[in-house]
Amino acid sequence: MMKKTFRYIALSIIGFAVSCNDSYLERYPLAELAPENYFRNAQELQNYTNAFYNELPDALAIHYNNPHQADDEARNTLPDEFRGTRITPGSGGGWSWDALRRINIYLEHSHQCSDEQARLLYDGIARFFRAYFYFDKVVRFGDVPWYEKALGTDDEGLLKPRDSRKLVFEKMLEDIDFAIANGRQEKSAQLITKWTALALKSRMCLFEGTFRKHHDLGDWEEILQECVKASEELMEAGVYSIYKSNPNAAYQELFIAENAITEEMILARQYTEAIPLIHSANFYILSASYGRPGMQKSVVDSYLMKDGSRFTDIPGYRTMQFYEETQNRDPRLAQTIRTPGYRRIGSNQVSVPDFATCVTGYQYVKYVLSPAYDAGRNINDMPIFRYAEVLLNYAEAKAELGTLSQADVNRSIKLLRDRVDMPNLDIDMANTNPDPYLISEYPNVGTGANRGVILEIRRERRIELVKEGHRYRDLMRWKEGARLAKPFYGMYFPGAGEYDLDRNGTIDLVIYEGNTPTPVPGRQYQRLGELVLENGRNGGRIINLPDITKEWDEDKDYLYPIPLDELLLNKNLTQNNRWAETGG
């Protein structure tokens, strides 16, 4: 659907929110929207459930803010999750139930509508959002109370203990299966459909199954089988496919499209100047005001060569400079960061990375539009669910189960590589000769017969989904959080000197010691010491924030703490392991 449809939905949400905000819901019943006087027809069900779309993440939450990018991205600041400085909050901390209350109010009263077809449709949407709500809570806190009715201020349920994550997940599966059974079958990048519900089930089952497996919680096989079933149902429906055009442009085109490319985008956050609903991807990536984000070198090292061989098998890869390390690589690299020869959309001028706005030198082009949008007015739609993720979920779940075949790879990973004319993944080769670099990156992957192909799927996932908000949760479910305590690196430089980054015969960057050189137009200047190399004046990779200590507690940091005021109000709640009951 086009932007005009979203404009209608957005205005409906805005209008409804005026009369149905949190404080209003606490004052039930009121004549103008008391539950017993509402939910009488399809239009009222639609109006109410439209407000649930506000729970979907926006561009700021997914694509800008950390810790979502985790070890994929370095900036000039670090979130508390990476520094080991999180404390038990007094309040807030993600322990909010307002959205759930709104959903449960709807589900308690939707039977008042006599239009059964409409009721099943909108009940499915409500139950999608309840599963979505609880997915976030389980990921964040583990065990949480399950509520399927709206509680009053004196309801005993407010003082119930936490239910086990396994019970909660069973309830989530009931909700999402209902949403799948009753969802719209028409494709839409902005409305919840059967296909959106299948994509959510695929995502949440992969997370929960692998989290249970790698954290030794048991009962993981059946959950991963549910991931496979949901992914396979979506795959076999033939509704979505991997978007293809020019192999050197197709991947990037997905993320700069003004209207989500529904060939592949299952659900996207829609943006338009009409309301306006805009975001600031250009400003975030190209200014010094949003942390100067840059891709971390370990991601760059993970991209394969164009012929499918491993970059990290090349002798001396660690000390390759920018031009050499970006040659003949997986085309997704040049469609994700600036590489030699890069030209911005709408410009014929070649641009090298800007070190004033990128701390690592690996500067993103994913989501970046033409200079006309540099003032923070991007209107390109941002992905929430896309078909590529479902294919990756399918392959990973089957690999973790030990049932992945080459035929499975051919209908999943191969399609992603075909988009950019990359060779297919060969299971036998991957398992016979696991990548030593990836083994060092993921020490907890295990030593089973499928280790090599699991590592390769993790490589593919990191590259394909970079900067789409998945990485932090991936590390949590794989029990690889310790990666966040390692140094984050950028480009390699042998020391102070003049550098022609794109080898076009013109100096682009001067790294200097002592006094600032006389400026030459077109050159960037970075003082050694402010631009920190791992071996100082002897060169090395750029090291991000070397003076800030990073810590990760394996027994504590995979879950967040419950706020103190919640523990005081409800004595039946228990705190997560090793988080203080009294702060700190």
Side-chain angles (χ1 to χ4, degrees):
M1 294 189 179
M2 302 299 287
K3 302 253 178 176
K4 63 181 181 180
T5 309
F6 177 68
R7 184 174 186 271
Y8 167 77
I9 295 172
L11 289 173
S12 174
I13 291 171
I14 292 167
F16 189 75
V18 171
S19 62
C20 188
N21 55 33
D22 294 348
S23 61
Y24 180 87
L25 290 171
E26 296 296 333
R27 300 199 305 267
Y28 274 134
L30 291 179
E32 60 265 43
L33 192 57
E36 63 269 24
N37 297 327
Y38 202 67
F39 308 109
R40 299 289 185 177
N41 55 57
Q43 187 62 58
E44 291 179 348
L45 300 188
Q46 180 185 19
N47 288 345
Y48 194 97
T49 56
N50 275 349
F52 300 160
Y53 285 82
N54 282 328
E55 302 308 311
L56 295 173
D58 62 12
L60 183 65
I62 294 182
H63 309 290
Y64 304 169
N65 287 348
N66 257 341
H68 300 296
Q69 316 313 324
D71 62 330
D72 283 351
E73 182 172 299
R75 310 184 192 198
N76 61 12
T77 58
L78 281 177
D80 289 336
E81 288 87 344
F82 301 2
R83 301 179 65 177
T85 54
R86 279 184 289 181
I87 63 171
T88 305
S91 60
W95 191 269
S96 171
W97 302 86
D98 293 332
L100 179 64
R101 176 175 170 78
R102 289 190 288 270
I103 293 166
N104 284 339
I105 285 172
Y106 167 85
L107 288 170
E108 285 182 48
H109 295 91
S110 66
H111 67 275
Q112 294 165 197
C113 175
S114 60
D115 184 341
E116 183 179 11
Q117 185 175 357
R119 181 173 55 78
L120 290 173
L121 171 64
Y122 293 109
D123 282 8
I125 291 172
R127 294 183 71 170
F128 170 93
F129 278 104
R130 188 162 66 184
Y132 190 92
F133 171 90
Y134 266 107
F135 180 42
D136 180 71
K137 288 292 184 284
V138 167
V139 168
R140 192 172 182 88
F141 299 110
D143 298 346
V144 290
W146 172 264
Y147 298 111
E148 53 189 21
K149 69 173 186 174
L151 301 181
T153 55
D154 298 324
D155 200 305
E156 291 183 1
L158 292 172
L159 299 179
K160 71 178 293 186
R162 298 200 284 175
D163 292 303
S164 73
R165 69 185 297 150
K166 293 183 179 180
L167 182 147
V168 172
F169 201 81
E170 288 175 6
K171 296 291 188 179
M172 291 164 57
L173 285 175
E174 292 175 10
D175 275 348
I176 202 63
D177 284 342
F178 184 94
I180 292 166
N182 295 284
R184 297 180 181 90
Q185 299 209 24
E186 301 86 1
K187 198 158 66 165
S188 171
Q190 60 191 323
L191 298 175
I192 302 305
T193 67
K194 172 179 181 175
W195 318 115
T196 324
L198 282 167
L200 175 57
K201 184 175 181 180
S202 171
R203 178 185 291 182
M204 72 188 204
C205 288
L206 180 71
F207 181 92
E208 186 64 10
T210 51
F211 190 96
R212 292 186 192 185
K213 179 179 180 180
H214 293 291
H215 290 259
D216 297 319
L217 301 182
D219 300 325
W220 55 270
E221 293 96 337
E222 184 177 350
I223 301 300
L224 287 184
Q225 287 164 0
E226 287 295 313
C227 172
V228 171
K229 285 166 55 180
S231 304
E232 201 160 36
E233 183 175 351
L234 205 158
M235 292 160 65
E236 291 178 350
V239 177
Y240 294 93
S241 61
I242 294 301
Y243 170 73
K244 295 179 71 175
S245 61
N246 181 337
N248 295 314
Y251 178 79
Q252 186 181 11
E253 287 170 359
L254 272 176
F255 309 104
I256 60 175
E258 177 181 335
N259 293 292
I261 297 174
T262 56
E263 185 175 337
E264 180 169 342
M265 292 292 183
I266 300 171
L267 186 69
R269 172 65 79 165
Q270 308 282 311
Y271 291 91
T272 175
E273 290 180 311
I275 297 177
L277 290 171
I278 54 180
H279 63 92
S280 305
N282 280 23
F283 189 71
Y284 164 74
I285 291 170
L286 301 174
S287 77
S289 303
Y290 272 71
R292 300 167 57 207
M295 183 183 280
Q296 218 230 125
K297 184 167 174 56
S298 68
V299 190
V300 177
D301 289 346
S302 297
Y303 285 81
L304 296 171
M305 302 301 292
K306 185 69 177 69
D307 62 5
S309 61
R310 302 186 297 225
F311 172 72
T312 50
D313 285 348
I314 300 174
Y317 79 90
R318 288 184 182 274
T319 56
M320 277 191 191
Q321 294 187 48
F322 177 61
Y323 182 85
E324 286 81 9
E325 72 177 343
T326 55
Q327 301 304 298
N328 300 313
R329 303 293 294 277
D330 181 331
R332 285 173 290 187
L333 179 62
Q335 296 175 62
T336 305
I337 63 169
R338 292 187 184 188
T339 55
Y342 167 71
R343 291 176 173 83
R344 281 194 68 183
I345 297 169
S347 172
N348 291 321
Q349 180 180 347
V350 174
S351 298
V352 297
D354 180 1
F355 286 80
T357 60
C358 178
V359 296
T360 65
Y362 301 122
Q363 189 161 28
Y364 294 112
V365 302
K366 193 169 181 174
Y367 308 119
V368 173
L369 300 182
S370 72
Y373 297 92
D374 282 356
R377 300 191 63 84
N378 283 62
I379 58 171
N380 44 322
D381 294 345
M382 302 293 264
I384 297 174
F385 292 99
R386 66 184 177 97
Y387 187 54
E389 181 199 346
V390 174
L391 298 180
L392 289 162
N393 296 346
Y394 170 81
E396 184 179 346
K398 295 209 77 172
E400 292 280 8
L401 286 164
T403 61
L404 184 73
S405 68
Q406 188 63 47
D408 295 325
V409 169
N410 295 348
R411 65 192 297 222
S412 56
I413 302 299
K414 183 178 186 297
L415 303 183
L416 305 181
R417 295 193 176 185
D418 283 349
R419 187 208 315 262
V420 290
D421 280 354
M422 283 288 292
N424 191 17
L425 168 62
D426 185 299
I427 289 183
D428 291 338
M429 289 179 61
N431 286 331
T432 301
N433 182 24
D435 185 355
Y437 176 78
L438 293 181
I439 291 173
S440 68
E441 291 280 283
Y442 304 107
N444 292 335
V445 75
T447 58
N450 266 349
R451 176 170 66 164
V453 75
I454 290 173
L455 289 169
E456 290 300 329
I457 291 169
R458 291 187 182 187
R459 180 205 305 276
E460 196 72 23
R461 184 177 181 89
R462 191 179 197 186
I463 289 167
E464 179 68 27
L465 301 181
V466 67
K467 203 158 180 59
E468 294 180 45
H470 299 278
R471 182 65 175 176
Y472 183 80
R473 288 184 172 185
D474 285 346
L475 295 183
M476 297 303 99
R477 63 190 178 85
W478 295 332
K479 208 173 187 290
E480 296 286 1
R483 290 187 56 78
L484 300 175
K486 294 182 177 182
F488 288 2
Y489 293 110
M491 288 182 188
Y492 173 86
F493 293 99
E498 297 182 340
Y499 294 95
D500 178 2
L501 295 174
D502 56 3
R503 301 293 169 88
N504 69 348
T506 302
I507 298 300
D508 305 300
L509 173 68
V510 178
I511 300 175
Y512 65 93
E513 296 182 273
N515 296 328
T516 305
T518 301
V520 175
R523 294 185 181 181
Q524 304 176 56
Y525 294 86
Q526 294 286 311
R527 187 191 302 273
L528 190 62
E530 294 174 357
L531 180 77
V532 180
L533 303 180
E534 58 188 323
N535 300 314
R537 66 189 312 166
N538 294 320
R541 296 167 291 183
I542 296 172
I543 185 168
N544 181 240
L545 301 174
D547 298 326
I548 295 180
T549 301
K550 300 166 75 175
E551 296 180 3
W552 185 263
D553 188 330
E554 284 289 309
D555 297 322
K556 172 183 176 184
D557 287 339
Y558 286 101
L559 297 174
Y560 283 77
I562 297 173
L564 295 177
D565 60 358
E566 302 296 336
L567 298 173
L568 292 172
L569 289 169
N570 182 0
K571 299 298 184 180
N572 293 314
L573 289 178
T574 56
Q575 184 59 282
N576 277 325
N577 187 40
R578 294 189 59 180
W579 285 103
E581 299 281 352
T582 57

